């Protein structure tokens, strides 16, 4: 069984997240991709003061029709700061597999700053998705200084536990949650940037105004 973990603030979720996750799902042959909204993102202020239950609801609406996508409220239920390593360990214990941790290139470039970053690579495969405007530095530049070692293999990289880092080029959609929030603040349309149900929910709840 191949399980993906896709973490994020999802504030709000948009077609950039959804299409990228769908392409990764197919490329890697994942049975399920768990979308895991973070409770308190350690690296950023949560814009708009949007409570976790609303971000969960938006993700639920957005993925509803995809049988391979699932919502996990694990990080929200844990409370406190959300650290990906806890989520990865939870999936390992609950399902007995090494999960595929999915993230965008912009997020991957910061991974050395993550909580217990070096240990992460022993616990999960990493799937790095291309993203417009995110540079793709050499792996050594991203992991530089971390006590980890990878060798090139199969177009990706592998470490001594057999865990891999893969780079997947996904359709470039220059959409971000920041863009959605900014359009909302300006009273402009977010149609065709998010699923229709998400758009309706955001409007009805008067979010990001
Ligand atoms: P914000 O603008 O608030 O930072 P965001 O659009 O970057 O929001 P996040 O919730 O921060 O969304 O992203 C969660 C994960 O999804 C990150 O790993 C990020 O790199 C990835 N991601 C987000 N948007 C895209 C996109 N358009 N293409 C590829 N990856 C994306
Ligand atoms: Mg982001």
């Amino acid at each position: 069984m191949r399980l993906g973990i896709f973490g994020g603030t999802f504030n709000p979720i948009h077609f950039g997240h959804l299409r990228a996750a769908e392409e990764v799902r197919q490329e890697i042959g994942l049975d399920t991709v768990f979308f895991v909204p973070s409770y308190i993102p350690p690296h950023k202020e949560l814009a708009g003061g949007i409570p976790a239950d609303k971000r969960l609801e938006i993700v639920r609406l957005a993925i509803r029709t995809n049988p391979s996508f699932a919502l996990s409220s694990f990080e929200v239920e844990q409370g406190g700061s959300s650290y990906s390593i806890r989520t990865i360990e939870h999936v390992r214990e609950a399902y007995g597999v090494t999960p595929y941790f999915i993230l965008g290139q912009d997020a991957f470039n910061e991974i050395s700053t993550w909580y217990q970053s070096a240990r992460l690579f022993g616990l999960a495969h990493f799937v790095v998705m291309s993203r417009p405007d995110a540079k793709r530095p050499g792996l050594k530049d991203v992991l530089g200084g971390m006590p980890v070692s990878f060798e090139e293999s199969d177009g990706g990289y592998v470490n001594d536990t057999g865990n891999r880092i893969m780079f997947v080029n996904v359709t470039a959609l220059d959409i971000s949650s920041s863009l959605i929030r900014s359009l909302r603040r300006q009273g402009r349309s977010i149609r065709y940037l998010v699923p229709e149900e998400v758009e309706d929910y955001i409007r009805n709840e008067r979010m990001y105004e």
Side-chain angles (χ1 to χ4, degrees):
M1 190 174 48
R2 293 188 172 199
L3 299 180
I5 300 174
F6 187 18
T9 12
F10 301 121
N11 187 32
I13 193 166
H14 51 71
F15 279 133
H17 295 124
L18 292 162
R19 180 64 201 175
E22 175 68 359
E23 290 184 17
V24 163
R25 178 194 68 72
Q26 190 153 52
E27 178 80 21
I28 313 283
L30 299 173
D31 297 289
T32 301
V33 176
F34 291 112
F35 285 66
V36 192
S38 58
Y39 181 57
I40 298 171
H43 292 291
K44 59 182 171 185
E45 290 281 299
L46 192 48
I50 302 300
D53 57 335
K54 287 197 177 173
R55 286 180 293 119
L56 282 173
E57 178 61 11
I58 291 182
V59 173
R60 194 186 66 78
L61 290 170
I63 67 178
R64 188 148 79 175
T65 58
N66 189 330
S68 304
F69 286 177
L71 172 65
S72 166
S73 54
F74 176 75
E75 292 186 5
V76 169
E77 279 163 21
Q78 290 287 296
S81 292
S82 301
Y83 296 118
S84 298
I85 196 153
R86 293 205 185 119
T87 310
I88 290 169
E89 283 175 329
H90 167 71
V91 170
R92 288 177 65 90
E93 282 159 25
Y95 297 92
V97 297
T98 297
Y100 291 77
F101 191 86
I102 303 165
L103 75 180
Q105 180 80 56
D106 59 310
F108 181 70
N109 291 347
E110 305 293 316
I111 200 154
S112 67
T113 69
W114 290 21
Y115 182 66
Q116 298 201 356
S117 54
R119 277 190 60 223
L120 287 169
F121 298 104
L123 299 172
H125 303 286
F126 277 73
V127 185
V128 183
M129 310 179 291
S130 56
R131 185 170 188 185
D133 292 337
K135 291 213 169 61
R136 186 178 154 185
L139 193 64
K140 289 214 170 66
D141 292 319
V142 176
L143 303 182
M146 293 173 67
V148 295
S149 100
F150 278 90
E151 281 177 14
E152 284 193 57
S153 125
D154 266 340
Y157 298 85
V158 66
N159 67 13
D160 56 6
T161 62
N163 288 352
R164 312 199 335 123
I165 299 177
M166 288 155 268
F167 292 86
V168 177
N169 281 320
V170 297
T171 300
L173 293 174
D174 195 2
I175 307 173
S176 64
S177 304
S178 318
L179 171 68
I180 308 289
R181 296 193 301 269
S182 149
L183 289 170
R184 287 286 298 162
R185 268 196 309 277
Q186 299 167 58
R188 295 169 67 188
S189 164
I190 59 169
R191 197 172 186 186
Y192 308 128
L193 296 173
V194 301
E196 206 168 307
E197 285 164 301
V198 169
E199 186 200 347
D200 291 344
Y201 184 86
I202 288 174
R203 192 184 325 102
N204 291 338
E205 297 288 324
R206 307 183 66 91
M207 292 167 73
Y208 314 112
E209 286 184 352

